[in-house]
């Protein structure tokens, strides 16, 4: 964000003494004022992505403040416009707020009033520009082939370059990273950027498959190979022929099966359980682990020969705390995805929310951040969009909220968002949610919500 001394404020008024007074007040506070006696002059000087705010009188010769407001919002609806109204002209102020003005000042106004409304407008403008920049960056990254690595830090740029390089060669890959760092996404990114992209990508979590069935899952079996094998089964390796097999949590694979996996990697062929024929394979194997396999091999918990066979190309994945600058961008990405999926809005982050994100340690890494972004969109209104409260709630919960509690929080969030969108107008909220007035009032009472809290002070 810009320092106050670099932030411009455009002041438009046909009265010279007001322009001079406002300019002096803003300069003393560290802003850079640009004064114009007409709206037409200001429009000619206004650049795209103007980082400041506009302060304009409503009644002026030529283009008036309301006409200026509509023109500026046509260009950029997020630009804060502060309109100056005459003494006692409340109806004009109400009309201006409904038309989208950020705020208004009533003549005569004190310097402190001007600085307060400008400061709040500047903060809003900076957040809007930051969110626009994040969204633009996301659009560029989403245009990339296959799954996207969201981020702009040096460590994530190096990872992206390594993925691109590895995807062009045929070596097997070992991914190493903490839980939630995105090992599945990286494996899919390697596959989608490789020449194998049009062939299958088969993922299997070695820690989630029962030990007595994992061999059949990987290599398949013939009818009658064991009790319950009533028909032939094609395993993951054979099904992925021509493509990629992703073995997550490979440290959980039983030692006896590791011997067979080593043979598959060396000979590029498998034998189904109960079969004598060899099935040749053309595939890449990507394995992933969250533990030090070399240490596990030294302790006898993992086969040393398999470790060295997998360790030809090892790709370490950074923890989220090692790329903190990416956290706001990642959060925005996950919030937009959640909002599009649920049909809800993804509110912009303020400085307090960003600070809460950056201060958290993220033991669950990107997965934890994604879950928080989804909670923020779905349940944020129930917590007044306080990320610190959502984080505290997630940390204090020893288990996920029960389904009835999730439904209750979602209902409260949905009603709160509708009240905010319609400025507390009960009739509009009922129409939007498709419920009778009595039902809405019952639910407002149940959730401790009050329609009056969502009305602007200038609303009738």
């Amino acid at each position: 964000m810009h320092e106050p001394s670099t932030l411009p404020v455009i002041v438009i008024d046909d009265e010279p003494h007001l322009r001079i007074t406002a300019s002096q007040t803003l300069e003393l506070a560290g802003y850079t004022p640009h004064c114009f006696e007409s709206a037409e002059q200001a429009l000619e000087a206004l650049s795209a992505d103007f980082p400041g705010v506009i302060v304009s009188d409503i009644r002026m010769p030529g283009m008036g403040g309301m006409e200026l407001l509509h023109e500026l919002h046509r260009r950029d609806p997020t630009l804060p416009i502060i309109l100056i109204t005459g003494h006692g002209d409340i109806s004009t102020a109400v009309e201006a707020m409904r038309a989208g003005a950020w705020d208004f000042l009533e003549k005569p106004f004190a310097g402190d009033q001007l600085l307060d409304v400008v400061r709040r407008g500047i903060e809003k403008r900076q957040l809007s520009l930051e969110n626009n920049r994040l969204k633009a960056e996301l659009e560029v990254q989403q245009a990339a082939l296959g799954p996207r690595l969201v981020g702009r830090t040096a460590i994530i740029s190096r990872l992206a370059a390594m993925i691109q390089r590895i995807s062009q060669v045929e070596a097997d890959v070992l991914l190493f990273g903490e839980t939630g760092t995105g090992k599945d996404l990286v494996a899919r990114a390697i596959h989608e950027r490789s020449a194998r992209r049009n062939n299958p990508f088969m993922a299997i979590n070695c820690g989630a498959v029962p030990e007595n069935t994992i061999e059949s899952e990987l290599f398949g079996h013939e009818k009658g190979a064991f009790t319950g094998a009533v028909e032939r089964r094609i395993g993951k390796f054979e099904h992925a022929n021509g493509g990629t097999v992703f073995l997550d949590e490979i440290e959980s694979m039983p030692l006896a099966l590791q011997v067979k996996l080593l043979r598959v990697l060396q000979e590029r062929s498998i034998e189904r359980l109960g079969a004598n024929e060899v099935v040749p394979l053309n595939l890449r194997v990507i394995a992933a682990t969250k533990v030090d396999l070399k240490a596990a091999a030294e302790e006898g918990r993992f086969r040393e020969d398999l470790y060295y066979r997998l360790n030809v190309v090892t790709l370490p994945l950074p923890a989220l705390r090692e790329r903190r600058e990416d956290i706001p961008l990642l959060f925005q990405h996950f919030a937009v995805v959640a909002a599009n999926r649920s049909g809800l809005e993804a509110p912009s982050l303020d400085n307090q929310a960003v600070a809460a994100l950056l201060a958290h340690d993220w033991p669950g890494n990107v997965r934890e951040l994604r879950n928080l972004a989804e909670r923020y969109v779905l349940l944020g209104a129930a917590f007044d969009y306080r990320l610190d409260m959502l984080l505290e709630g997630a940390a204090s919960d020893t288990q996920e909220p029960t389904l009835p509690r999730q439904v209750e929080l979602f209902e409260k969030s949905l009603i709160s968002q509708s009240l905010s969108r319609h400025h507390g107008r009960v009739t509009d909220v009922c129409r939007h949610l498709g419920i009778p007035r009595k039902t809405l009032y019952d639910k407002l009472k149940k959730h401790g919500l009050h329609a009056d809290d969502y009305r602007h002070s200038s609303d009738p």
Side-chain angles (χ1 to χ4, degrees):
M1 299 227 174
H2 297 277
E3 294 298 322
S5 59
T6 66
L7 290 170
V9 179
I10 287 180
V11 178
I12 311 168
D13 200 293
D14 59 321
E15 298 180 19
H17 76 276
L18 190 145
R19 295 197 303 271
I20 293 171
T21 303
S23 177
Q24 291 174 343
T25 301
L26 292 166
E27 277 186 327
L28 288 172
Y31 297 103
T32 304
H34 300 277
C35 297
F36 300 91
E37 62 179 344
S38 72
E40 290 86 352
Q41 291 176 348
L43 285 174
E44 290 180 7
L46 192 64
S47 61
D49 288 335
F50 176 68
V53 299
I54 311 289
V55 181
S56 174
D57 196 6
I58 284 186
R59 305 190 187 282
M60 297 181 293
M63 178 182 284
M66 292 299 293
E67 188 179 353
L68 173 67
L69 173 64
H70 292 303
E71 172 59 24
L72 290 174
H73 273 198
R74 184 186 65 78
R75 298 184 182 188
D76 184 352
T78 67
L79 181 61
I81 316 241
I82 302 159
L83 293 180
I84 302 172
T85 67
H87 176 67
D89 199 357
I90 297 300
S91 61
T92 304
V94 171
E95 182 185 357
M97 297 296 286
R98 285 178 172 170
W102 165 248
D103 211 329
F104 70 93
L105 289 166
E106 185 181 5
K107 293 181 181 178
F109 53 84
D112 288 345
Q113 291 177 284
L114 173 64
L115 292 177
D116 178 64
V117 71
V118 164
R119 177 187 56 78
R120 290 187 288 108
I122 287 284
E123 289 177 355
K124 188 252 188 186
R125 180 59 172 167
Q126 292 297 289
L127 287 170
S128 296
L129 290 176
E130 175 69 5
N131 276 285
N132 289 341
R133 187 185 62 76
L134 293 177
K135 289 176 182 177
E137 188 169 342
L138 287 172
E139 288 177 1
V140 171
Q141 297 197 10
Q142 288 168 355
L145 183 67
R148 282 91 53 194
L149 285 180
V150 177
R152 55 176 178 265
T153 51
I155 195 169
I156 210 68
S157 297
R158 287 195 297 269
L159 177 60
M162 286 295 297
I163 289 173
Q164 184 62 32
R165 191 176 309 155
I166 289 170
S167 66
Q168 305 307 308
V169 298
E170 283 297 312
D172 296 328
V173 182
L174 176 64
L175 306 178
F176 174 69
E178 297 178 8
T179 297
T181 49
K183 295 186 284 291
D184 181 89
L185 181 141
V186 170
R188 292 178 186 275
I190 293 172
H191 173 76
E192 291 295 336
R193 288 164 172 76
S194 74
R196 300 178 179 275
R197 69 179 67 93
N198 295 323
N199 295 314
F201 176 89
M202 298 301 301
I204 185 166
N205 188 316
C206 300
V209 181
E211 187 171 341
N212 60 340
T213 63
I214 189 171
E215 188 172 357
S216 174
E217 282 285 330
L218 294 179
F219 307 132
H221 62 255
E222 295 289 345
K223 179 179 179 180
F226 51 84
T227 302
V230 296
E231 59 183 2
R232 171 186 283 185
R233 175 191 174 91
I234 302 300
K236 300 284 189 183
F237 277 87
E238 189 174 351
H239 187 78
N241 207 357
T244 304
V245 168
F246 173 51
L247 300 174
D248 198 8
E249 295 189 21
I250 193 159
E251 71 275 6
S252 303
M253 180 176 285
L255 286 169
L257 191 59
Q258 292 179 27
V259 179
K260 295 189 176 184
L261 175 61
L262 179 63
R263 197 165 107 190
V264 169
L265 295 177
Q266 292 172 338
E267 300 179 5
R268 283 313 198 249
S269 62
I270 56 114
E271 292 181 16
R272 301 187 201 102
L273 292 178
N276 294 317
E277 63 180 90
V278 174
V279 179
L281 297 176
N282 171 24
L283 52 74
R284 159 183 265 162
V285 174
I286 301 177
T289 181
K290 61 179 180 293
V291 304
D292 184 341
L293 288 185
K294 187 175 187 301
E298 292 172 352
E299 296 170 3
R301 295 182 289 109
F302 196 83
R303 289 191 62 92
E304 189 174 24
D305 48 4
L306 179 57
Y307 163 69
Y308 285 113
R309 182 64 183 79
L310 290 170
N311 196 37
V312 177
V313 177
T314 299
L315 195 58
L317 275 59
L320 190 55
R321 61 183 174 275
E322 297 172 9
R323 43 183 294 223
R324 289 188 182 274
E325 292 176 23
D326 288 334
I327 291 175
L329 180 64
L330 278 163
F331 186 91
Q332 178 78 29
H333 169 72
F334 292 132
V336 168
V337 171
N340 290 340
R341 187 170 59 242
S342 63
L344 298 173
E345 296 180 3
S348 300
L349 296 176
D350 58 20
N351 292 334
Q352 185 179 14
V354 172
L357 289 175
L358 296 177
H360 190 59
D361 197 41
W362 303 107
N365 291 294
V366 178
R367 183 181 299 145
E368 182 185 0
L369 180 67
R370 183 188 61 213
N371 291 341
L372 178 68
E374 292 177 350
R375 284 165 61 94
Y376 182 73
V377 172
L378 297 175
L379 307 175
F383 294 88
D384 296 324
Y385 292 105
R386 289 279 303 277
L387 271 179
D388 52 345
M389 293 176 63
L390 282 168
L391 279 166
E392 288 174 7
S396 63
D397 288 342
T398 56
Q399 58 185 11
E400 287 294 315
T402 62
L403 182 58
R405 177 59 178 160
Q406 288 179 335
V407 171
E408 182 178 333
L409 288 171
F410 180 75
E411 181 181 78
K412 180 179 180 181
S413 177
L414 196 63
I415 293 173
S416 180
Q417 286 195 39
S418 187
L419 284 166
S420 180
R421 178 182 301 175
H422 298 289
H423 306 295
R425 295 190 294 271
V426 170
T427 301
D428 292 342
V429 172
C430 290
R431 185 182 303 112
H432 175 231
L433 298 178
I435 59 177
R437 291 177 72 91
K438 184 180 184 307
T439 301
L440 176 62
Y441 282 122
D442 288 344
K443 292 185 179 298
L444 291 175
K445 182 178 180 181
K446 170 185 174 184
H447 296 298
L449 299 173
H450 304 280
D452 289 343
D453 294 341
Y454 294 83
R455 295 194 177 102
H456 290 309
S457 59
S458 56
D459 284 345

